[in-house]
Amino acid sequence: METLDELRAEASTCTRCPLYEPATRTVFGEGPSTAWLMLVGEQPGDQEDRAGRPFVGPAGKVLDTALERAGIGRDEVYVTNAVKHFRFERDGKRRIHKAPAVTHIRACRPWLDAELRAVRPDVLATLGATAAKALLGSTFKVSEQRGSVLEFENRPLVPTVHPSSILRGPPEAREEATAALVADLLVIADLHN
Ligand code: URA
């Protein structure tokens, strides 16, 4: 079985789908191979594409705050995405996030499967619809099942919202939405304790 370092090196030259061309680089998952929890997001954003690390931009800040409030250290967690290249549309100088297509998610799936084999987390959590649908099927609805303990390949999987959905909502709803994300993360933490 390949190590995370070997996988990261291989993925850095991935051309399995066309997203590698406009993107700056592959943003592979990050965290210890001993992590008990794997968090799966959608795809890197603008800042992640520049930095080469997942969840370091605005959504990452929301995630870090929520993890801290739930008593989960980011260093205990392996954080990755269903798609490992940034998909965007240009608007002048700005690069606007564009959701990945099913073909991108499918093409990228072998990397996620390899990460799962290398890390073997006790618990899996999906952030948002893209990751949930990738692992649980295209009809899955996060709004109906967030925070519930499901199963994926013989391990518990808890779906929750994507932290960027909190940023997209109205500012006055942010605290409540963050508290709901923390509540889902506490369900996850309980599975470990
Ligand atoms: N959104 C994601 O889904 N993943 C990241 O790494 C950053 C933003």
Side-chain angles (χ1 to χ4, degrees):
M1 193 196 57
E2 288 165 297
T3 65
L4 285 174
D5 285 344
E6 287 165 347
L7 292 169
R8 187 173 293 109
E10 275 175 46
S12 70
T13 55
C14 183
T15 55
R16 283 182 183 155
C17 84
L19 294 184
Y20 78 92
E21 264 191 302
T24 310
R25 53 176 61 82
T26 307
V27 180
F28 204 67
E30 184 178 84
S33 60
T34 52
W36 64 270
L37 172 63
M38 185 183 287
L39 294 177
V40 185
E42 182 193 68
Q43 63 168 349
D46 180 69
Q47 292 196 29
E48 288 78 13
D49 172 80
R50 294 173 201 276
R53 298 178 54 208
F55 283 103
V56 292
K61 304 273 177 298
V62 175
L63 179 62
D64 286 348
T65 305
L67 283 170
E68 198 183 328
R69 280 172 61 176
I72 302 173
R74 179 134 170 185
D75 58 351
E76 304 169 39
V77 179
Y78 186 85
V79 182
T80 192
N81 285 299
V83 171
K84 289 168 174 60
H85 280 108
F86 178 35
R87 186 181 195 206
F88 59 91
E89 272 174 351
R90 282 210 178 271
D91 177 12
K93 278 194 179 164
R94 291 178 66 211
R95 303 190 301 170
I96 311 294
H97 164 277
K98 193 169 178 210
V102 172
T103 49
H104 305 132
I105 297 164
R106 279 208 198 113
C108 216
R109 181 58 182 270
W111 296 121
L112 184 57
D113 287 337
E115 288 174 298
L116 279 166
R117 282 195 299 275
V119 179
R120 291 185 294 115
D122 300 327
V123 183
L124 199 51
T126 52
L127 305 174
T130 298
K133 286 176 193 239
L135 293 177
L136 297 166
S138 59
T139 56
F140 186 81
K141 286 209 165 54
V142 176
S143 54
E144 286 171 13
Q145 297 210 58
R146 64 174 297 181
S148 49
V149 183
L150 309 174
E151 201 184 281
F152 179 79
E153 293 180 351
N154 301 318
R155 62 166 70 80
L157 183 157
V158 180
T160 187
V161 295
H162 196 287
S164 66
S165 68
I166 296 173
L167 295 172
R168 280 196 304 271
E172 62 276 15
R174 278 192 197 157
E175 175 44 37
E176 199 181 332
T178 305
L181 173 59
V182 173
D184 292 348
L185 292 173
L186 284 169
V187 170
I188 292 165
D190 264 356
L191 293 168
H192 181 56
N193 297 327

